Amino acid sequence: MEVLKQIYDNKDCSFDIKILDNFFTEDEYKEINQIVSRMNYPALDTAYAESPDKHVWFSAPVDNKLQELIRTRTNEKLKVNITNVHLCNYTLVTKVPNGKREIHDDYETEECNWQCIIFINGKSSLHSGISFYNIDEDKKSMHLNTCVGFHPNRIVFWRCNMWHCPLNYEDDFKSRHSIIAQFKIDNKC
C-alpha cells in the first residue's frame, strides 16, 4: 500500500493540536461567513493529481487583507510567531460517495511547519470536523486518535507532519466551508 509506505517514511507524528473557539470577532466572522456563502469555486483542477482516488478538493485563495488578519489573530491567540504564510485558501469539503478516508499529512518543509483549519459555515457536528491518526508500526496500520468536531469560528492548529483527514466519509457528514492555512512558525512562544 502506497499510503503505508509514505507513513513509515515519516514516523515522527507526535501530537500537538490546539483548538480555540471564537477565533474571529463576531463582526469579522459575519463578514467572512457572507463571503463563503457566495463563494464560487473553480470547476477545473479540483482533484489532487497524486491521489490514487483523485480526491476532490474545492478551494479559492483568501485575499491579502484576510490572510494578514489570520496571521495576526493566530500569533495573538495561539502565542506563536508566524514568519511566512505558505498557503491560505477558502475550502469546501463535501461527502465522499465511496466512504473512503483520505488520511494524509501535508509534509513539513522549510516554508511550512504548522497549519490550521478555521471552520466557517456548516452544521455544528463532530461528524463534520477533522480526525487525527496514530501509526501502529507493528500492525502497519493507522488508528484514529482524536476527532475535532465542526463548530463555526473554531480554529484547529497542528504540525504539518500529523496524519489527518476530514470526516467526510462519515454517514452524518454535512458539507462545510472552512479556511485552511499553512505557516512557517519560528520559535513557538
Side-chain angles (χ1 to χ4, degrees), residues 42-82:
L44 301 174
D45 301 323
T46 56
Y48 282 134
E50 307 87 40
S51 174
D53 298 320
K54 299 295 183 202
H55 174 55
V56 175
W57 186 255
F58 299 101
S59 69
V62 166
D63 65 63
N64 290 338
K65 180 181 172 190
L66 180 53
Q67 187 171 302
E68 189 54 36
L69 177 64
I70 292 168
R71 175 200 297 253
T72 301
R73 286 276 179 278
T74 304
N75 283 339
E76 289 171 359
K77 294 191 173 210
L78 298 178
K79 308 293 188 234
V80 296
N81 180 24
I82 296 172

Side-chain angles (χ1 to χ4, degrees), residues 19 117 119 122-133 144-152 154 156 165-176:
I19 305 162
I117 185 166
F119 297 131
K123 178 184 176 189
S124 288
S125 168
L126 174 64
H127 301 284
S128 295
I130 187 169
S131 53
F132 295 90
Y133 295 80
L144 179 63
N145 177 291
T146 303
C147 287
V148 179
F150 177 95
H151 186 72
R154 171 177 287 165
V156 184
C165 175
L167 290 166
N168 58 341
Y169 56 86
E170 288 283 332
D171 289 340
D172 295 331
F173 180 86
K174 301 294 181 206
S175 296
R176 60 169 161 81

Side-chain angles (χ1 to χ4, degrees), residues 1-149:
M1 287 173 103
E2 181 58 32
V3 170
L4 286 179
K5 180 186 179 302
Q6 246 184 336
I7 291 167
Y8 294 107
D9 289 344
N10 180 14
K11 294 178 184 173
D12 176 27
C13 41
S14 55
F15 272 57
D16 193 351
I17 305 170
K18 293 166 182 26
I19 305 162
L20 180 68
D21 287 341
N22 302 312
F23 181 70
F24 295 113
T25 67
E26 189 175 328
D27 288 341
E28 291 165 349
Y29 172 75
K30 284 180 183 176
E31 183 179 338
I32 295 164
N33 191 29
Q34 286 179 350
I35 292 168
V36 300
S37 297
R38 297 185 311 265
M39 180 66 57
N40 288 317
Y41 294 96
L44 301 174
D45 301 323
T46 56
Y48 282 134
E50 307 87 40
S51 174
D53 298 320
K54 299 295 183 202
H55 174 55
V56 175
W57 186 255
F58 299 101
S59 69
V62 166
D63 65 63
N64 290 338
K65 180 181 172 190
L66 180 53
Q67 187 171 302
E68 189 54 36
L69 177 64
I70 292 168
R71 175 200 297 253
T72 301
R73 286 276 179 278
T74 304
N75 283 339
E76 289 171 359
K77 294 191 173 210
L78 298 178
K79 308 293 188 234
V80 296
N81 180 24
I82 296 172
T83 59
N84 181 47
V85 178
H86 178 66
L87 173 131
C88 194
N89 284 346
Y90 296 105
T91 63
L92 169 64
V93 175
T94 60
K95 183 162 178 47
V96 290
N98 60 7
K100 185 161 178 144
R101 297 175 190 193
E102 283 288 339
I103 303 170
H104 63 283
D105 76 344
D106 291 304
Y107 307 107
E108 191 166 316
T109 68
E110 289 295 318
E111 297 84 32
C112 174
N113 57 356
W114 286 83
Q115 62 191 33
C116 73
I117 185 166
I118 306 166
F119 297 131
I120 303 297
N121 183 299
K123 178 184 176 189
S124 288
S125 168
L126 174 64
H127 301 284
S128 295
I130 187 169
S131 53
F132 295 90
Y133 295 80
N134 283 341
I135 298 169
D136 182 336
E137 292 188 43
D138 295 333
K139 295 182 180 176
K140 298 195 183 317
S141 62
M142 299 188 84
H143 299 282
L144 179 63
N145 177 291
T146 303
C147 287
V148 179

